[in-house]
Every structure is written in C-alpha cells, then in structure tokens.
Amino acid sequence: INSGRRVLEKEMECWAIGSEKALVVFHNPADKGTKYLKLGNELWMYFPDAADLVKISGHMLRQGMMGSDISYQEALESEKLGELYRFELLGEEIYDGVKCFVLEARALPGKNVAYASRKIWVDAERFVGLKEELYAASGKLMKVSRVEELLRQGGRYYPKRVVMEDQLKKGSSTVLIVDSIEFNIKIPDEMFTLRSLMR
C-alpha cells in the first residue's frame, strides 16, 4: 500500500466458496489475527487485540480496506458484473502490446454498486481483464486498475499482480500480489461463521 511517502506491506490468506462466502486472515505482525468474514451482503471484521467484532456498513463501506485503495464496498460486491451492469462493446484497441476488446459497463437501475460505470480492456485471446477505469455517476474517473502479471493454472488465467490507483489521491496506489492459489479444495462451512471468526 503506497500512500505518498508511506509504504505498508500486509500479508493475508483467503478462503472462499463461490461469491457469497469468504474469510480473510492477516498474518503480517502489525495486523496478525485480524479477520474479515463476508456472508452474502454482510461484512464483519474481528480485531484480536480488543477481541472486538464489528459489522462494516453505511459510510464505512466507502473507506479503504486496511488503508488500501480497495474499498470495503468493492470487496463486498458478490454478484457477477453481468448482474449489476449493462455492457456495450466499444471496439478493439491495443493495450500494452495486447489486442483487447474495450467494453463499457453501466449500472443497471436499482443496483447498489460501487461505481456507476466502468471501462474495461479485455485480452481478446485469453479473455482476462487487463485494465479497468472506474467512474462516479458524475462521470469523474475515480480509480484505475491494471493487471501487470497473469498466472496460468488448470488451463485458466488469473491475475497474479494487480495495481489499483486512486485518482483522487496523489501518489496513492495498492499492489495486490497473489503468491499461490488453489482451486476445488474442500472447505468446511464452519469456517464461515461469526463463532469461528472470534477464535
């Protein structure tokens, strides 16, 4: 997490079942034992030092998660983008030497989304989003996300290194690096409960 002259490094492990259940546990010394639990449209946070359980809601959802450029609301969105936005193909462009389809996504009426519209550059061969611009309802550019490295596993591609830049904060960016990933493993449902969150 880069915020002007300040740089923070955090290490976390995440388990997920579909898009409805997720558990994140932090392991870096400053945040060791801090946990997030996502259950559908609810997000809970556990602070081990205070043994305190907090539900993230309201204006807190717009804040950066653990001081990063990724908001709690972004982390909470569980529906597929196709259920939240109407897409239009704007054309094709070369981005970072790669042929891409350029898509515009506009929020569907009545949907609670972090951004009113998005512009996405999708790799035409691997079908992975490589760049995304996120806009407010006013049309103001809020954030830019770029995939700098891809990981291929099981015949599929996944982002290995992603950079998120907040356009409203000078010099503010977050780099998310995936060191390892596993798919189709058995995860007990008991992990995704408030009781287990406080252990």
Side-chain angles (χ1 to χ4, degrees):
I1 301 171
N2 303 288
S3 179
R5 297 180 181 177
R6 189 180 183 200
V7 178
L8 299 174
E9 287 191 13
K10 299 179 183 292
E11 182 182 354
M12 62 187 182
E13 196 170 6
C14 178
W15 296 263
I17 297 179
S19 59
E20 292 296 309
K21 297 180 180 180
L23 173 67
V24 178
V25 180
F26 284 83
H27 297 300
N28 56 291
D31 305 301
K32 191 173 181 64
T34 298
K35 301 176 185 177
Y36 285 93
L37 177 65
K38 176 182 179 295
L39 295 172
N41 291 321
E42 293 186 345
L43 185 63
W44 298 83
M45 183 177 184
Y46 174 70
F47 299 94
D49 291 342
D52 194 15
L53 187 63
V54 177
K55 184 178 181 181
I56 308 295
S57 60
H59 71 279
M60 293 174 64
L61 290 171
R62 293 189 292 272
Q63 297 177 5
M65 187 175 184
M66 299 294 280
S68 74
D69 295 276
I70 301 169
S71 72
Y72 290 105
Q73 188 170 4
E74 289 169 294
L76 192 59
E77 284 183 351
S78 58
E79 296 97 333
K80 294 179 180 179
L81 288 181
E83 298 171 358
L84 298 172
Y85 294 87
R86 176 181 56 81
F87 284 83
E88 179 183 350
L89 177 63
L90 299 181
E92 298 179 4
E93 286 183 16
I94 301 297
Y95 168 71
D96 200 23
V98 178
K99 179 183 175 182
C100 291
F101 298 117
V102 183
L103 306 176
E104 181 182 62
R106 294 196 173 275
L108 292 169
K111 295 294 184 179
N112 183 25
V113 294
Y115 303 100
S117 65
R118 302 169 179 249
K119 189 175 180 182
I120 309 168
W121 284 256
V122 179
D123 186 320
E125 184 177 332
R126 295 173 291 186
F127 298 103
V128 178
L130 299 181
K131 179 183 176 183
E132 189 170 13
E133 294 178 349
L134 308 170
Y135 293 87
S138 65
K140 187 176 184 63
L141 178 62
M142 306 292 287
K143 295 180 183 178
V144 175
S145 173
R146 300 187 318 277
V147 175
E148 294 188 338
E149 188 178 348
L150 289 172
L151 169 70
R152 184 174 184 179
Q153 187 163 319
R156 296 181 290 183
Y157 290 93
Y158 294 88
K160 178 177 174 61
R161 181 183 175 92
V162 181
V163 178
M164 176 76 86
E165 296 177 332
D166 190 328
Q167 302 301 296
L168 304 182
K169 299 178 184 176
K170 187 176 180 181
S172 182
S173 66
T174 297
V175 181
L176 179 63
I177 301 169
V178 178
D179 286 327
S180 64
I181 190 168
E182 294 181 70
F183 299 101
N184 303 319
I185 62 173
K186 290 185 178 180
I187 307 174
D189 276 334
E190 174 62 23
M191 286 186 69
F192 305 100
T193 63
L194 294 178
R195 182 182 304 164
S196 66
L197 191 66
M198 300 177 68
R199 289 178 185 165

